[in-house]
Amino acid sequence: MCGIAGILSQSIDLREKRPMIENISKSLEMRGPDDRGEYITQSTALIHRRLAVIDPQRGSQPMRFGRYVIVYNGELYNTQEIRHSLILQGYHFDTHCDTEVVLKAYDKWKEKSVEMLNGIFAYAVYDTQDSSLFIARDRIGVKPLYYSQVKGIFAFASRIKSLLCIPQIRPVVDENGLNEIFMLGPAKTPGHAVFRDIKELLPAHYLIYKDEKITVKEYWTLDAYENRETVEEAVEHTHWLVKDSIERQLVSDVALATFLSGGLDSSIISKIASDRYKADGKILDTYSVDYTDNDIYFKKSLFQPNKDSDYIDLISEAIGSNHHNIVLDNSAVADALSDSAIARGVPGFADVDSSLLLFCKEVKKNFTVCLSGECADEIFGGYPWYHRKEILFEECFPWSRSTDVRRSILRDGFLKNGEEYMSNAYSRTVEKTSYLDGESALERRMREMFILNLNWFMQTLLSRKDVMSMESSLEVRVPFCDYRLVEYAYNLPWALKALEGREKGILRKAFENELPQEIVWRKKSPYPKTHNPVYFKRVCELAEQALRDRGCPLYDMLNIENVRKLMENPDALTEPWYGQLMRAPQVIAYIYQIYVWIQDYKVEFAL
């Protein structure tokens, strides 16, 4: 994986902007600590930072072929197939890295080439003859890509912070941006980046910039089709797709490990990876995360019915992995809230972010690539809101059904159109759902829930995983995001997907003979959070900075009295801020992250 950025401008001479280009490159350093490169002309600058995973000795970027120059961030999982097709067309290859394949595929098939790629990627191809730029992002949105067009400049980057190194791009947040933070956050509307002048290139889209004009096109969408498979056929098909996706993502020229929580998804990945390693005479390394004294303070809930620690040793022993349990200090998790918010570029996922950042830094000490089980819950119906009828048919985001908590921390009258903003965001998403004629109300709603989860909840988790891992110079792959698997799961009838009345029922059935039964039928449990009061105490100490700083714009946005009441009585919060992952400690941490973000990014508000 890598970090990329670029600037096109007819109004300034980029050859004279070396300090700015150096700052942009420096801002991408953690995404690519192994190598750096630039392509600079009077009107164009392409910037690349490399984390070498495939063909470390070669494959430096920017890479040029003929009239085209590419900067690329990602991994392809069908590299060999595309390379073979190009060889048959007369192309020759100097490396075995996927960058060269993407570049020469573009030379051959132009924008159509992106439709052939199976992987996680964001890249830009510059045409030196007509001064146009093509940028594209993978179908699911695993790899980030932001862009801005202001004052005669077009710029793109892997990070928001990189774009803000350009003086013409100001860190301005208007009312829409504040609604993103307070009404929708830590989620954000697809395509939005909170800052007024910065946009996110949507997943499954490409953009062409030419003659100061932008054209954006969607190259892939989820379409409904009828699945007539029997239970046995669907189970076999699911097994094949999952296994093929995982095995494709085990290719690496550097050390690779897996994240193992003791849940179904990470156990499937680790089992398949371990089998492959054993066939090569190697032992797979697996990693889990926990917190100091967390067993003492764990409280069972609907969303978190059991602890990961009860299951990790069981699955590790079953697959024969060399397991490492990383135990994080609770105060350190709180202190890392600032680093994680700054890395993300917008207020984030509280300790769900900061703990992952610390975890990834520990894993990076020994490994460069990991596989993780994100996104199986979104596509196979793993969350409680898929299964609770009192939630399922509500016309709202199921993880943020009420704005009461959000309103309680804001001063009266602030963001008066917030609920309308939230409702419109929900409606726009549901309207994009593809149905089959004659489907039942349940099947139609399950398709809507799939789209809601894919475009919102899953994007929040993917952004978290990319930013926190790449901030640690660690590449994390997510096999359940293979677009073939997503397409298939979207069209599985609910009776098959929830086989035997269980969340992810078909996935459980597909691997029931390869994993311990306790793992196969374990009830869904989310990413582990700290329950230790030491963490909450430290979070409250940090948040006091925001509550006392009258010079910060955040002070006038908050209902200080209600925030302090929440700090004094966290159990009074009965409705989660964001699904199962954000309750009172996380809400206070989120307020602190907003404060840090405003200070570090020198945010300007246009209200």
Side-chain angles (χ1 to χ4, degrees):
M1 299 299 177
C2 306
I4 63 173
I7 309 169
L8 274 69
S9 176
Q10 296 297 324
S11 60
I12 58 175
D13 188 342
L14 292 168
R15 296 170 300 183
E16 299 175 356
K17 300 297 179 181
R18 290 283 180 173
M20 179 183 73
I21 291 170
E22 178 65 29
N23 287 339
I24 295 172
S25 179
K26 185 71 175 176
S27 74
L28 295 166
E29 183 175 9
M30 292 307 293
R31 295 189 71 91
D34 298 332
D35 196 11
R36 61 173 288 179
E38 290 95 25
Y39 170 86
I40 302 173
T41 68
Q42 179 176 337
S43 61
T44 307
L46 301 179
I47 301 157
H48 189 264
R49 300 294 304 227
R50 188 183 186 202
L51 178 65
V53 172
I54 303 294
D55 200 354
Q57 283 71 43
R58 295 174 292 179
S60 293
Q61 298 183 49
M63 183 181 289
R64 183 162 185 173
F65 179 73
R67 64 194 282 183
Y68 300 114
V69 184
I70 190 172
V71 284
Y72 169 79
N73 166 33
E75 295 290 346
L76 284 193
Y77 304 127
N78 62 341
T79 302
Q80 297 305 324
E81 293 96 321
I82 299 175
R83 180 185 282 118
H84 180 69
S85 296
L86 288 166
I87 289 172
L88 293 178
Q89 298 286 337
Y91 286 83
H92 300 277
F93 289 86
D94 300 317
T95 74
H96 67 268
C97 68
D98 49 356
T99 306
E100 187 178 9
V101 172
V102 175
L103 176 58
K104 291 180 177 177
Y106 185 83
D107 179 77
K108 177 63 181 176
W109 296 297
K110 303 303 182 284
E111 63 266 21
K112 282 288 184 182
S113 62
V114 71
E115 300 175 26
M116 304 174 182
L117 309 182
N118 180 1
I120 55 178
F121 53 79
Y123 64 93
V125 180
Y126 177 67
D127 187 331
T128 61
Q129 288 190 14
D130 68 8
S131 300
S132 65
L133 184 76
F134 173 89
I135 65 175
R137 193 170 174 214
D138 66 75
R139 290 169 176 83
I140 310 303
V142 179
K143 292 286 104 181
L145 193 58
Y146 301 96
Y147 68 95
S148 180
Q149 185 180 26
V150 293
K151 299 179 180 178
I153 290 176
F154 178 85
F156 67 89
S158 300
R159 298 185 69 199
I160 291 171
K161 202 172 188 70
S162 302
L163 290 176
L164 292 173
C165 291
I166 301 169
Q168 290 85 349
I169 303 174
R170 303 300 305 158
V172 177
V173 174
D174 57 19
E175 185 173 349
N176 287 340
L178 286 170
N179 276 317
E180 293 286 323
I181 293 169
F182 288 111
M183 292 292 124
L184 296 171
K188 59 182 177 61
T189 302
H192 287 239
V194 177
F195 292 103
R196 184 182 62 189
D197 296 330
I198 299 176
K199 296 181 180 179
E200 173 193 51
L201 182 64
L202 288 166
H205 283 67
Y206 65 79
L207 179 154
I208 296 172
Y209 178 77
K210 185 176 182 180
D211 298 329
E212 299 189 354
K213 294 182 180 179
I214 291 175
T215 303
V216 179
K217 292 187 178 180
E218 186 175 39
Y219 67 85
W220 176 84
T221 188
L222 272 179
D223 295 321
Y225 64 76
E226 187 174 5
N227 184 321
R228 296 186 177 182
E229 291 176 324
T230 65
V231 171
E232 292 75 18
E233 290 169 339
V235 168
E236 182 180 352
H237 197 167
T238 299
H239 185 280
W240 183 87
L241 279 171
V242 171
K243 188 170 187 286
D244 184 67
S245 175
I246 294 167
E247 289 182 338
R248 284 175 180 268
Q249 299 190 29
L250 291 172
V251 176
S252 174
D253 291 337
V254 296
L256 179 148
T258 66
F259 292 172
L260 181 61
S261 69
L264 177 69
D265 314 326
S266 65
S267 295
I268 291 172
I269 292 172
S270 297
K271 172 65 166 65
I272 292 171
S274 179
D275 288 348
R276 173 63 67 88
Y277 269 49
K278 287 177 183 176
D280 295 335
K282 298 185 293 185
I283 297 176
L284 177 73
D285 283 81
T286 53
Y287 280 82
S288 61
V289 63
D290 207 345
Y291 308 85
T292 302
D293 294 332
N294 219 31
D295 282 357
I296 298 174
Y297 298 101
F298 178 80
K299 294 179 181 179
K300 180 187 286 190
S301 69
L302 172 67
F303 291 107
Q304 197 151 9
N306 43 49
K307 306 189 299 293
D308 286 347
S309 56
D310 296 339
Y311 296 87
I312 291 170
D313 289 345
L314 175 66
I315 182 62
S316 176
E317 184 176 343
I319 66 175
S321 72
N322 179 28
H323 189 70
H324 314 264
N325 184 40
I326 305 300
V327 180
L328 301 178
D329 176 79
N330 290 281
S331 294
V333 172
D335 290 337
L337 288 166
S338 57
D339 288 343
S340 60
I342 293 167
R344 199 187 255 267
V346 293
F349 228 150
D351 57 79
V352 185
D353 277 2
S354 63
S355 61
L356 181 61
L357 177 62
L358 297 179
F359 177 55
C360 287
K361 287 183 181 295
E362 289 298 313
V363 176
K364 175 60 182 178
K365 291 177 180 178
N366 296 297
F367 291 90
T368 300
V369 180
C370 283
L371 269 63
S372 181
E374 266 84 3
C375 306
D377 289 304
E378 285 82 1
I379 69 173
F380 284 112
Y383 293 119
W385 47 74
Y386 279 100
H387 303 270
R388 295 175 60 187
K389 294 296 174 64
E390 72 274 19
I391 296 177
L392 180 60
F393 286 96
E394 288 184 347
E395 294 291 324
C396 63
F397 293 113
W399 48 84
S400 295
R401 296 160 58 209
S402 168
T403 59
D404 290 350
V405 180
R406 296 171 184 269
R407 280 292 176 202
S408 71
I409 69 160
L410 296 175
R411 66 170 172 79
D412 290 345
F414 186 63
L415 298 179
K416 61 183 179 180
N417 298 317
E419 282 76 9
E420 181 183 2
Y421 188 90
M422 193 176 192
S423 177
N424 289 340
Y426 167 85
S427 298
R428 285 194 302 269
T429 306
V430 172
E431 288 169 0
K432 298 176 181 177
T433 308
S434 174
Y435 312 99
L436 286 179
D437 292 339
E439 283 187 314
S440 68
L442 176 63
E443 291 292 349
R444 289 174 65 86
R445 184 56 178 167
M446 285 305 179
R447 288 192 186 276
E448 292 174 352
M449 289 290 282
F450 192 107
I451 296 299
L452 286 166
N453 279 270
L454 181 74
N455 290 346
W456 287 85
F457 205 83
M458 192 160 118
Q459 291 303 314
T460 308
L461 293 175
L462 288 175
S463 175
R464 161 188 177 259
K465 181 56 61 73
D466 174 83
V467 172
M468 301 309 141
S469 60
M470 294 304 293
E471 186 69 9
S472 310
S473 303
L474 178 72
E475 175 187 318
V476 177
R477 301 172 180 175
V478 279
F480 285 103
C481 281
D482 188 307
Y483 80 91
R484 301 168 304 157
L485 189 56
V486 173
E487 288 177 335
Y488 179 71
Y490 181 65
N491 287 290
L492 270 175
W494 181 245
L496 286 177
K497 195 178 293 186
L499 207 58
E500 300 187 15
R502 287 298 307 273
E503 72 281 4
K504 297 184 288 191
I506 195 165
L507 191 61
R508 298 176 190 276
K509 195 70 176 176
F511 289 91
E512 67 174 345
N513 296 323
E514 299 175 42
L515 299 171
Q517 292 303 294
E518 297 95 326
I519 301 293
V520 172
W521 301 108
R522 179 189 176 190
K523 192 169 179 59
K524 156 73 182 168
S525 191
Y527 176 83
K529 300 194 304 292
T530 177
H531 301 273
N532 196 314
V534 169
Y535 167 76
F536 188 51
K537 181 175 182 291
R538 180 58 181 153
V539 166
C540 290
E541 292 172 355
L542 293 169
E544 276 295 334
Q545 298 175 46
L547 302 185
R548 292 175 179 171
D549 189 349
R550 294 175 179 268
C552 178
L554 180 62
Y555 185 89
D556 293 323
M557 301 175 190
L558 297 176
N559 184 321
I560 304 297
E561 181 181 354
N562 282 352
V563 174
R564 284 212 165 92
K565 286 180 180 178
L566 186 59
M567 293 164 67
E568 294 164 3
N569 186 16
D571 292 336
L573 181 62
T574 57
E575 181 73 24
W577 175 284
Y578 192 78
Q580 71 272 41
L581 296 172
M582 290 184 71
R583 293 188 177 273
Q586 289 73 38
V587 172
I588 302 303
Y590 186 65
I591 292 170
Y592 172 65
Q593 286 193 311
I594 296 171
Y595 176 73
V596 168
W597 170 72
I598 291 172
Q599 302 290 87
D600 185 84
Y601 279 75
K602 299 179 173 57
V603 178
E604 303 166 16
F605 292 97
L607 300 175

